[in-house]
């Protein structure tokens, strides 16, 4: 049985695709979501084989949901949209398919044939996730685990990022979250405008920086507005000061 999550902020669209999918004997719709956050939570909980993601949804777009999935467990992704400009971009996407609204049942059946072929080949959604990360605009809101749920964290409130093998500790003024991501991957998602690398294992929000203290042999102490002190290593010093306009 192929397990499916549907995410669309329009109830008629969700109901239509759920109805058509329910007619397929090998398809089971395990969850439906009306925004990007609910979609991410449903995917994390249900671990589906396939996710139909509307490109434009509240909270997080379909691309942003795909970009924040764990590549090791990501489902196959089918993007859905009503806008032609996204259809053009579809040619660059490595998602399993791309449905342009309004689509008919025959078109959906062709999508399902592609899905079945990929599932039969034991393919996973890693490629779509990677493409989603590359295609998505800088992320303004970050999905972080908060107990058994996922929490939307405003990227502007993140003070600094700390690499820990295949995990990243996301530090805010009041809490620390842990994501199963690499620092390089997360920085690519957040964009280069807001964060700057200061060490092999750390990056800082430019807006969180308060002052700098020169140290011996070219290193610096970097003091954040929240009182945290970090090390700016020589390796990243020149790039850091270039970003600061020095």
């Amino acid at each position: 049985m192929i397990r499916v999550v549907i995410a669309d902020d329009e109830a008629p669209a969700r109901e239509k695709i759920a109805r058509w999918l329910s007619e397929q004997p090998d398809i089971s719709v395990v969850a439906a979501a009306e925004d990007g956050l609910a979609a991410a939570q449903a995917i994390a909980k249900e671990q589906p084989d396939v996710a139909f993601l509307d490109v434009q949804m509240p909270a997080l777009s379909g691309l942003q949901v795909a970009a924040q999935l764990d590549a090791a467990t990501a489902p196959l992704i089918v993007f859905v949209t009503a806008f032609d400009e996204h259809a053009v971009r579809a040619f660059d996407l490595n998602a399993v398919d791309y449905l342009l609204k309004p689509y008919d049942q025959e078109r959906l059946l062709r999508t399902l044939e592609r899905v079945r072929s990929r599932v039969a080949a034991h393919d996973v959604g890693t490629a779509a996730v990677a493409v989603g990360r590359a295609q998505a605009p800088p992320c303004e809101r970050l999905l972080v685990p908060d107990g058994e749920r996922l929490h939307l964290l405003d990227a502007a409130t993140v003070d600094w990022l700390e690499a820990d093998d295949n995990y990243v500790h996301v530090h805010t003024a009041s809490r620390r979250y842990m994501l199963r991501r690499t620092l390089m991957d997360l920085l690519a998602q957040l964009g280069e405008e807001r964060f700057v690398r200061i060490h092999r294992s750390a990056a800082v929000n430019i807006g969180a920086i308060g002052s700098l203290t020169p140290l011996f042999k070219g290193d610096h102490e970097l003091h954040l507005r929240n009182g945290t002190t970090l090390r700016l290593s020589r390796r990243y010093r020149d790039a850091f000061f270039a970003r600061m306009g020095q």
Side-chain angles (χ1 to χ4, degrees), residues 74-91:
L76 298 173
I77 301 294
V78 178
F79 289 114
V80 185
T81 186
F83 299 94
D84 289 342
E85 62 267 30
H86 298 307
V88 173
R89 290 177 57 194
F91 291 103

Side-chain angles (χ1 to χ4, degrees), residues 120-170:
H122 303 289
D123 205 347
V124 295
T126 303
V129 170
V131 171
R133 287 174 181 165
Q135 297 281 334
C139 187
E140 295 295 331
R141 285 167 291 184
L142 195 61
L143 272 177
V144 294
D146 187 9
E148 295 183 352
R149 299 180 60 84
L150 293 172
H151 175 65
L152 263 182
L153 183 67
D154 188 340
T157 66
V158 176
D159 288 335
W160 67 288
L161 305 168
E162 178 185 17
D164 183 5
D165 290 330
N166 291 324
Y167 291 85
V168 176
H169 299 287
V170 179

